Amino acid sequence: MLELGPVEKELLHETKKGAIVAALIDPEDFSPKQAAATAAKAVGVGASLVLVGGSTLANQGRLDAIVRSVKSHMESRQGHNESRRIPVVLFPGNITGVSRYADAILFSSLLNSTNPYFIVGAQALGAIEVYKSKIEAIPMGYLVFGNHSAASFIGQVNGLPASKPSLAVIYALAAKYLGMRTLYLEAGSGSGEPIPQETIRAVRKVYDGILIVGGGITTPEAATTAAKAGADILVIGNLLQSSGFETTLEQIAKSPRR
Ligand code: 1GP
């Protein structure tokens, strides 16, 4: 049995109080320096963890550099003016998404892929690196909605229809019975339509693990809707690339707690 590690325990503790925000850094979009500066700004306005990953990452060295840069910024921040420890967690899209410098990895299976490689093949190939480097693994089911995102295209997904919550529910139950302690409902980065509240609510009814929701959340209203429907972690990616994002992110991080 995979025991709960410190990062997962911390996330469980934090999300008991209500939804938290994760700042997602896609290594393809930032230099290590920019990544650290952006993560620091996000944390400064209320993000509770930093995720690092993306669908098309080819260079593991780049990932290492980004994770190290973000981590050292977080550690110096903790040393100076912050008591909160901000975990830097991998959100891998493939075997290139593993870095031994991270605090934990969302060890995920893309449950609605049509290709077994993304359900268990990449996981088997990446597992030995996770084992050797002793990164905390957090078991996660990953569900991708629609067929227009990079995650959907690269992951060869049979996209879940956003308007059919009952289909998301049966996958959520499968994730639960397979022992996955976290579940990620993905609308796709930059999606014009975040996961609908009826879908989040329906999944929340049957799934009691950590529920992560992301894709297209760019406003406090969208964040509030997802949080009220039952999301535990709201993932914010694209927004971090717009100048002056801090004001909006701060409001998002304050979205009403359930
Ligand atoms: C993508 O769900 C995340 O994997 C975040 O999406 O970039 O649209 O915020 P955005």
Side-chain angles (χ1 to χ4, degrees):
M1 259 294 271
L2 181 67
E3 285 179 17
L4 266 71
V7 173
E8 193 175 348
K9 280 185 188 160
E10 175 71 14
L11 293 179
L12 277 169
H13 176 73
E14 282 296 315
T15 54
K16 275 212 173 78
K17 296 180 252 171
I20 61 171
V21 162
L24 171 64
I25 299 290
D26 186 332
E28 302 284 11
D29 297 329
F30 297 93
S31 70
K33 212 172 152 188
Q34 288 167 337
T38 303
K41 281 184 195 166
V43 168
V45 293
S48 300
L49 77 149
V50 179
L51 294 180
V52 184
S55 305
T56 53
L57 176 69
N59 186 335
Q60 204 160 9
R62 186 177 175 84
L63 176 69
D64 279 342
I66 296 234
V67 171
R68 292 180 74 172
S69 177
V70 173
K71 278 259 328 172
S72 72
H73 239 72
M74 291 303 135
E75 277 157 15
S76 67
R77 189 188 155 79
Q78 196 189 354
H80 287 117
N81 49 3
E82 262 288 347
S83 54
R84 269 190 318 160
R85 182 178 167 274
I86 302 292
V88 179
V89 178
L90 300 167
F91 173 40
N94 209 325
I95 52 170
T96 48
V98 184
S99 168
R100 66 196 170 96
Y101 300 105
D103 295 309
I105 181 169
L106 294 172
F107 199 88
S108 47
S109 172
L110 178 41
L111 294 173
N112 62 321
S113 175
T114 58
N115 183 341
Y117 176 79
F118 292 103
I119 302 170
V120 72
Q123 293 76 359
L125 291 170
I128 194 72
E129 191 57 27
V130 173
Y131 178 73
K132 280 187 189 158
S133 54
K134 300 189 172 70
I135 318 166
E136 175 182 341
I138 302 175
M140 183 179 95
Y142 189 40
L143 297 179
V144 176
F145 289 69
N147 280 309
H148 298 289
S149 63
S152 162
F153 180 78
I154 298 290
Q156 298 170 37
V157 155
N158 184 22
L160 281 157
S163 58
K164 297 260 183 262
S166 59
L167 295 180
V169 163
I170 57 176
Y171 273 89
L173 282 171
K176 172 177 162 152
Y177 296 144
L178 285 164
M180 293 166 172
R181 301 195 291 249
T182 55
L183 182 68
Y184 191 136
L185 308 182
E186 172 72 270
S189 186
S191 167
E193 291 175 38
I195 304 290
Q197 62 172 334
E198 312 78 60
T199 303
I200 302 172
R201 196 172 288 129
V203 167
R204 178 79 285 172
K205 268 192 191 152
V206 299
Y207 183 78
D208 44 15
I210 297 175
L211 185 58
I212 307 174
V213 175
I217 301 176
T218 55
T219 63
E221 293 74 26
T224 303
T225 301
K228 280 192 169 161
D232 292 313
I233 299 178
L234 309 173
V235 180
I236 311 293
N238 256 0
L239 179 70
L240 308 184
Q241 290 187 60
S242 41
S243 68
F245 71 83
E246 296 97 309
T247 315
T248 311
L249 191 66
E250 186 165 28
Q251 291 169 336
I252 287 176
K254 284 183 183 151
S255 11
R257 300 197 146 196
R258 293 191 303 284

